[in-house]
Amino acid sequence: MDSLSDTIWDVVICGTGLQQSLLALALSRSGKNILHIDPNEYYGGPEAAFSLQEAESWVATLSDPTNQNNAGNGGVFRAASITKPEATSPALKFSRSYSLALSPQLIHSRSELLAQLVSSRAHRQIDFLAVGAFFIFKAPEDLDHKAVLTRIPSTREDVFLSKAIPVKAKRGLMKFLKFVVDYDSEPQTEAWQPHADAPLTEFLRKEFTMEAELQTYIVTLTLSLDGRISTRDGLAIIHRHLSSMGVFGPGFTAIYPKWGGISEIAQVACRACAVGGAVYMLGTGIKSMQTGYSAEMELELELTNGVTVKTRRLVQTDEPASEKVVVSRLVSIIDSPLNSLFAAVVEGAQKPAVAVIAFPSGSLKTSAGKTWEFPVYVFAHSSDTGECPVGQSILYLTTPSITGSKEVLEQAVQSFLDAVSGEQVPHGVYQLYYEHLGGPAGSRTEGQVFKFPAASPSLSFNDSTLKVVREAWKEVLNEAATGADYMAFPDREGAVYDEEMYD
């Protein structure tokens, strides 16, 4: 501990969420003195993945009003609870058979994150899995029919083969898909820019005479949390979705890291920085900070373990914006593999481990009988993700958090299971519920302190996160950042690797 106090650290990074961990990866070959701490006893922060026992400890921590570490996940979680139906709980396996992701996110194949993981050589330690089909839940027309899941076509071939879309509607959808491919060039920009801030649904209706059901298909592909995405943002996301199709193989447009999603990337990034000489301390936060006590303008930090350290720069997470974005999340372990969801979309495609199901706005009701005005998204994960035992699966559900959201998510689980059931209806054997708050849009600097925005509850990874990480990297390196390669590292001398994942 004396050596910690004796060292003048170039940077202290507090938190091991994705942003902090990517910064650690970017600095891993810099030769800087790096102290990386986390008040939690685990890696990942708001992107962590938990065993069942860890989930129970986490819920207890959030529920304890005397606990000083309730902001250990960036202060973005609240109202957590666990439910285990007594009749089915014996189906649960041992605790570490599960890895429940707090913030599951899809990564589109064209994401800059993947390019940086490759150029930094970090991708070699991550197993990526295919995200398969996107489905729309359709409620039964009457008591004689069953609810169904309809796959959303996202290529021209899919549109031609779809039996769920009328011929006339197919023409409109084909026209839109062709438009999106070059949406950001003339003359397409002239068509959408007057509608840039209007809802995407309005643009689809006016410019493509698209009916409401087909609009729902398009909006679902954006994974918009409230279904009210703007034309500008919606077109950008749809373009990314379509241009990502087939990049790493036929039939899928996004990937998901095995063993807990984004948390796996965070841990790999931290390991790379540790190999580069950084010092790591879990279960250690910052108790107090003193500024300007020396001519060098170093910071003096008193850590929660009683040690005082000096640093030239501190990087930490900002507090979440008060009530800016709040979503309700429910994680449900299912006693069935749900095999019908994880079939390859096209011949020769990789078997997917994730499927996306959307309950469109208005398709569910609250316990009081009020129509739910927001979409509910379900990420179904097979045991291939490493997040549950063989023979089971996990559902991750998300919707905006207002009165009745928990009951709506529970209703969505049952409606989904009824739709996919065969001779036997699958059951939920474990349920983790919590609310996730959003953060400010950007970073900010206060003297020697750089603050990341709180983690976003978005369902797909947004590359804007990477811009903030690079800002922090420049702050830490200062003049040394000029002309330096960012996230581009040669192989470490003497290291032996398997064959490249990407050619």
Side-chain angles (χ1 to χ4, degrees):
M1 292 296 183
D2 291 339
S3 61
L4 294 178
S5 299
D6 295 340
T7 301
I8 303 296
W9 300 95
D10 292 302
V11 60
V12 172
I13 304 173
C14 184
T16 56
L18 182 65
Q19 296 172 118
Q20 296 97 325
S21 299
L22 289 177
L23 173 61
L25 175 61
L27 294 171
S28 61
R29 310 281 184 102
S30 66
K32 298 289 185 181
N33 288 329
I34 301 169
L35 176 61
H36 200 164
I37 63 177
D38 194 319
N40 299 301
E41 297 287 352
Y42 52 83
Y43 287 93
E47 288 90 11
F50 291 147
S51 67
L52 299 186
Q53 184 175 352
E54 288 168 338
E56 290 185 3
S57 297
W58 177 73
V59 170
T61 297
L62 288 182
S63 304
D64 183 0
T66 65
N67 180 55
Q68 299 300 311
N69 189 32
N70 279 341
N73 290 304
V76 298
F77 298 117
R78 68 184 186 191
S81 62
I82 291 174
T83 304
K84 291 181 279 189
E86 293 183 5
T88 54
S89 58
L92 289 175
K93 308 301 180 183
F94 64 92
S95 172
R96 301 208 68 82
S97 296
Y98 301 90
S99 184
L100 309 182
L102 287 180
S103 303
Q105 289 185 326
L106 310 183
I107 306 173
H108 282 88
S109 302
R110 290 288 186 190
S111 172
E112 176 62 23
L113 173 62
L114 299 179
Q116 292 187 8
L117 292 176
V118 171
S119 65
S120 65
R121 303 299 189 261
H123 72 285
R124 291 188 173 112
Q125 300 177 54
I126 306 170
D127 292 331
F128 290 106
L129 307 167
V131 176
F134 284 58
F135 296 92
I136 290 286
F137 174 88
K138 290 189 175 182
E141 298 177 0
D142 51 53
L143 296 177
D144 295 328
H145 292 80
K146 179 182 175 182
V148 296
L149 304 182
T150 300
R151 189 166 72 86
I152 301 175
S154 55
T155 66
R156 282 176 287 186
E157 292 78 8
D158 283 345
V159 174
F160 279 124
L161 294 174
S162 176
K163 297 179 181 179
I165 304 175
V167 174
K168 183 179 180 180
K170 286 183 179 182
R171 296 193 189 101
L173 184 55
M174 287 293 296
K175 182 181 177 182
F176 174 74
L177 294 178
K178 183 178 180 180
F179 173 88
V180 173
V181 170
D182 297 310
Y183 87 100
D184 210 18
S185 60
E186 297 289 352
Q188 283 84 343
T189 51
E190 297 177 2
W192 67 264
Q193 284 184 345
H195 309 277
D197 297 320
L200 177 61
T201 52
E202 180 180 311
F203 174 70
L204 296 174
R205 177 177 57 81
K206 290 182 176 179
E207 296 297 321
F208 295 92
T209 61
M210 208 175 275
E211 296 183 355
E213 182 174 350
L214 211 53
Q215 293 174 28
T216 298
Y217 283 29
I218 299 300
V219 172
T220 293
L221 295 180
T222 71
L223 297 176
S224 168
L225 290 170
D226 62 5
R228 300 167 183 168
I229 192 168
S230 69
T231 298
R232 177 189 289 107
D233 293 340
L235 292 178
I237 295 174
I238 296 296
H239 173 78
R240 180 181 62 177
H241 180 91
L242 295 179
S243 63
S244 293
M245 181 65 70
V247 170
F248 297 138
F252 64 95
T253 187
I255 59 177
Y256 184 81
K258 190 174 182 179
W259 310 116
I262 295 295
S263 69
E264 186 68 8
I265 296 177
Q267 292 191 59
V268 165
C270 289
R271 285 199 294 269
C273 195
V275 171
V279 175
Y280 276 79
M281 299 175 65
L282 295 181
T284 303
I286 298 173
K287 184 176 181 180
S288 64
M289 177 174 64
Q290 181 181 347
T291 62
Y293 73 95
S294 70
E296 291 78 18
M297 297 301 292
E298 296 155 356
L299 302 175
E300 185 175 84
L301 307 177
E302 182 184 359
L303 306 182
T304 54
N305 61 2
V307 175
T308 299
V309 298
K310 299 179 180 64
T311 181
R312 297 184 176 91
R313 180 76 62 177
L314 170 65
V315 177
Q316 59 184 179
T317 301
D318 209 347
E319 291 297 316
S322 177
E323 306 298 317
K324 184 176 182 182
V325 178
V326 185
V327 300
S328 291
R329 294 187 183 272
L330 189 145
V331 183
S332 182
I333 299 174
I334 307 301
D335 63 355
S336 167
L338 303 178
N339 290 325
S340 61
L341 296 175
F342 305 113
V345 176
V346 298
E347 185 177 353
Q350 180 180 341
K351 180 184 176 183
V354 177
V356 180
I357 303 93
F359 286 76
S361 303
S363 60
L364 294 166
K365 293 183 181 296
T366 67
S367 56
K370 183 180 178 181
T371 299
W372 191 250
E373 60 179 306
F374 302 109
V376 172
Y377 291 98
V378 183
F379 286 1
H381 289 204
S382 75
S383 60
D384 289 342
T385 60
E387 295 175 357
C388 63
V390 174
Q392 298 185 2
S393 52
I394 296 182
L395 304 180
Y396 295 97
L397 294 89
T398 307
T399 198
S401 184
I402 59 174
T403 301
S405 56
K406 182 179 180 181
E407 291 75 16
V408 165
L409 292 179
E410 292 171 341
Q411 179 193 147
V413 170
Q414 191 55 54
S415 296
F416 166 79
L417 294 178
D418 290 341
V420 298
S421 64
E423 294 181 1
Q424 294 184 332
V425 178
H427 296 91
V429 297
Y430 177 99
Q431 175 179 296
L432 169 63
Y433 173 83
Y434 51 99
E435 294 174 357
H436 190 164
L437 284 70
S443 62
R444 62 191 179 101
T445 301
E446 297 179 349
Q448 311 301 103
V449 181
F450 183 94
K451 294 190 176 184
F452 282 121
S456 167
S458 62
L459 299 177
S460 63
F461 180 80
N462 190 328
D463 279 348
S464 64
T465 298
L466 304 177
K467 296 178 182 179
V468 180
V469 174
R470 188 159 187 164
E471 289 174 12
W473 174 80
K474 289 180 178 179
E475 291 270 358
V476 173
L477 290 188
N478 207 346
E479 293 88 353
T482 303
D485 290 331
Y486 179 72
M487 288 285 198
F489 307 136
D491 289 331
R492 291 189 185 275
E493 186 177 351
V496 178
Y497 299 103
D498 295 331
E499 184 178 354
E500 287 281 0
M501 179 178 173
Y502 303 107
D503 296 326

